[in-house]
Amino acid sequence: ITIAQSGIKMKTWVPGFTGFPIPANLVDSSVRIQGVSGARLDGRGQLAGFHLVVPGLDKIAVEKAAPADPFSGPVVPISQLLHPSPQARDEHRLKIEGVVTFRRAGELVFVSDASGSLLVRTEQARLLEVGDRVEAVGFEVTGNRPAELHEALARRLGPGPQPVPLRLKAQDALQREHHARLIRVEGRLLDRTVRPQEQVLVLQAGEAIFPARLNAGTQPDSFSDLREGSILQVTGVCVVEFNEEQIPQTFQVLLRS
């Protein structure tokens, strides 16, 4: 079980319950836990955090139960999650609505609304398609890239408009506001690689060099006819990588087909 308080996450171990489902009513509830605290060390033997060992689920008391309907909360504009706030974030589930622009079955979707786009990690991705209008509730996760929703529940509301890609020059894609957006960009093919899990095109436009990635299960070796030096136009979701200071460093394009 993972718990969070004041932005700090802590693993809670319940011996004897490995492999057994934890009661769903605990998820998103405010709880009080009695257990033994232990230190968590990194590979160099330095303190990396703490964890709790709890004798049993009877030592986890629900102080404020989660809503019976996890989708009952208000919709939060995606832009509100993407821009850092000086105020503490809500550690409970957040709800968004939008249109699916990219899907990787059983793993994740990218969702866009009128204000922005973000990644949603959800097992329900297998039930969704590009162009579906969806709502998702999940826990906000931040790090070296804009916010994402993890451990999310998602469901289809109906058909939505087909996503329209933003046309960009490669040198303009390396910006925070383009992260997670559906884009269309052009480049000269430098290399083509087929890996067990994906196919990768390496493209260059001006001084910008970037990969375009396609999941191997989508269309096996679908790039076999492409030749180095060809000028290609690719459409997919832009994923920008940031350093610890949140400065964009590189970007890649996730292809849908």
Side-chain angles (χ1 to χ4, degrees), residues 28-253:
D28 204 28
S29 295
S30 296
V31 298
R32 185 180 68 254
I33 300 177
Q34 293 181 335
V36 177
S37 176
R40 180 168 55 85
L41 306 179
D42 61 18
R44 296 174 295 178
Q46 297 179 342
L47 182 64
F50 297 90
H51 64 264
L52 285 176
V53 179
V54 181
L57 291 178
D58 60 326
K59 300 300 182 182
I60 303 178
V62 175
E63 295 195 325
K64 183 179 180 180
D69 178 6
F71 293 95
S72 61
V75 175
V76 177
I78 289 176
S79 61
Q80 185 173 317
L81 304 181
L82 298 180
H83 299 290
S85 171
Q87 300 178 346
R89 294 287 202 190
D90 190 340
E91 291 171 333
H92 291 277
R93 282 171 168 155
L94 298 174
K95 176 181 173 181
I96 64 164
E97 286 186 8
V99 175
V100 175
T101 59
F102 179 93
R103 181 200 71 153
R104 184 171 292 163
E107 184 179 352
L108 59 85
V109 291
F110 283 85
V111 177
S112 293
D113 67 8
S115 69
S117 306
L118 89 167
L119 182 152
V120 178
R121 294 192 178 274
T122 174
E123 294 181 357
Q124 283 80 51
R126 60 186 174 82
L127 304 175
L128 306 174
E129 298 291 343
V130 170
D132 284 346
R133 188 166 60 88
V134 300
E135 60 180 354
V137 292
F139 297 99
E140 181 186 20
V141 174
T142 57
N144 290 345
R145 63 173 57 171
E148 301 174 352
L149 286 187
H150 287 200
E151 305 296 333
L153 302 174
R155 64 185 182 187
R156 184 178 186 270
L157 297 175
Q162 279 299 311
V164 178
L166 174 68
R167 292 178 177 270
L168 285 178
K169 293 182 178 180
Q171 58 266 33
D172 297 329
L174 198 61
Q175 298 182 32
R176 184 183 184 90
E177 60 263 34
H178 298 320
H179 174 74
R181 292 196 65 176
L182 184 66
I183 68 169
R184 180 167 292 160
V185 64
E186 186 176 283
R188 180 169 59 88
L189 181 62
L190 299 182
D191 190 26
R192 178 180 66 87
T193 303
V194 178
R195 298 172 179 168
Q197 300 300 323
E198 65 177 358
Q199 303 172 65
V200 182
L201 301 177
V202 179
L203 302 173
Q204 181 176 17
E207 296 182 356
I209 297 177
F210 60 97
R213 302 180 184 276
L214 178 68
N215 188 283
T218 306
Q219 293 171 312
D221 202 14
S222 56
F223 299 147
S224 58
D225 293 336
L226 300 179
R227 297 291 179 261
E228 293 180 10
S230 300
I231 303 299
L232 306 179
Q233 188 178 79
V234 296
T235 301
V237 169
C238 178
V239 177
V240 181
E241 300 294 339
F242 300 81
N243 62 15
E244 294 181 355
E245 287 74 38
Q246 293 284 305
I247 298 175
Q249 301 296 298
T250 61
F251 80 95
Q252 59 182 308
V253 179

Side-chain angles (χ1 to χ4, degrees), residues 13-31:
W13 305 99
V14 185
F17 279 88
T18 301
F20 289 82
I22 298 297
N25 69 302
L26 293 180
V27 179
D28 204 28
S29 295
S30 296
V31 298

